[in-house]
Amino acid sequence: MDFSSLDPDGRHRAFVEDVRAFLAEHVTEEVRETERRTGDGYNREFYRALGSRGWIRPELPRERGGAGLDRSEVAILRAELERAKAPTRQLSTIRLVSPAIEQYGQSPLREQVLDGIARGEVCLSLGFTEPQGGSDVASARLRATRDGDEWTISGSKMFTTNGHQADYCFLLTRTDPTVGKHKGLTMFLMPLKIPGVEAQGIFTFSGERTNMMFYDDARISDVHRLGEVNGGWSVLRGPLDAEHGLGGMVNDGLDALPMGPAFLYEARDALDAALDWAEATGSIGDGAVVDRLADAIALSEAAYATDGASGRVLGAEALDRIGAELISLIGPEALLEDEAADGGMADFAYRYAQGTKTYGGAIGVFRTVIAQHELGLPRMELPGSRAFLTK
Ligand SMILES: Cc1cc2nc3c(=O)[nH]c(=O)nc-3n(C[C@H](O)[C@H](O)[C@H](O)COP(=O)(O)OP(=O)(O)OC[C@H]3O[C@@H](n4cnc5c(N)ncnc54)[C@H](O)[C@@H]3O)c2cc1C
């Protein structure tokens, strides 16, 4: 990022103070505790408060529900939200999906939903992954069948985070199983609070909730369709590329939200707690302990400073390694349930890291993105792919 436009003594300092005062009021201990327990990334009250400031899509002009912030201010806002441990994951979803709603949505639903998002009233979820498909989202089987001006949706989706509380799902469906897999897909802005839609919770190692979603002949109007019938891949590609750090479709020239830094706030907290532990136990006087802590801090900072797909991979891997290293440093007392020597921070960082290696795209896929798009290496033939098996 170009820091030359920052004015730390004037306008930007005042903005930092404004954001911090807002967050001190609204990111209460209860909001933080709920976020850590559920990993929802969304809290309706907090999002309403953000919406009242125009900070859900802050780069948009005020007449479109934003706050007209410039790039530096948006970067400050993001950093302060992460630092305060506000529930931010919904902001990334909004950021990925809103441009697709703008471009492909049908009036007046489009305007209603975009207005609701800006006010913090509408929560979105992503419905790409299916039980049998994993990262290969284009193999989607969930069926959408047309019936006049309506569609019937039937099948299941795996790992729909927020599916239990979201108002809509950015849903990938199969509308024609007889053509090539990328050709028979259609996207919908699927309402979730209707008959025939059910969410069943799945919990990660660290307690974050995601969902298996069941669509049992759920009927929706054609106004929920995004883009052409069987043209779903073009609608999905922008948000998917943005999620994979390939630029893709993001708001008003801003970069896609990097996920690595969000993970690394957990690493920083675990490192702070480990430093407190080292002070309290006198281990800080041991050069070997100091070396190990310094290495972990350096890794965390290096990962934090790395952006794009590499930052995504390094962020998740650094959190995993730092969590494991701190547990090994502190010893079994890091794992005590209620009386862990560091307040359970290293244990939580390690467990939390396991999900970060998968959601938003498995890091193996990001490695492929780095190889093909950043290093220009040839396409990889995966074990199980037809090309690999017929070699
Ligand atoms: C907590 C959580 C929340 C999630 N939230 C959502 C959500 O809200 N919406 C949604 O649609 N999905 C969501 N997902 C799905 C997630 O984004 C992954 O895409 C999906 O989990 C990957 O599928 P899989 O786990 O079956 O792994 P697979 O795709 O079966 O991968 C297995 C292994 O193969 C590797 N691999 C696969 N393909 C490639 C490739 N092309 N190149 C290199 N290596 C590869 C992977 O890295 C992995 O190690 C979530 C997943 C989790 C765990």
Side-chain angles (χ1 to χ4, degrees), residues 23 27-29 31-36 46 78-88 262-270 345 348 352:
L23 294 174
V27 186
T28 58
E29 203 39 57
V31 169
R32 260 195 222 113
E33 200 280 319
T34 308
E35 178 58 13
R36 170 164 277 219
F46 176 65
R78 274 185 200 170
E80 293 298 327
L81 283 163
E82 299 294 356
R83 196 194 307 276
K85 295 270 180 86
T88 53
F263 307 153
L264 287 160
Y265 277 99
E266 291 301 338
R268 285 179 170 181
D269 282 357
M345 303 303 280
F348 182 78
Y352 181 71

Side-chain angles (χ1 to χ4, degrees), residues 126 128-129 134-135 159-161 204 358-362 364-365 368 380 382:
L126 304 173
F128 312 149
T129 310
S135 304
F159 299 138
T160 303
T161 303
T204 65
T358 308
Y359 50 66
V365 174
T368 299
M380 185 172 74
L382 287 174

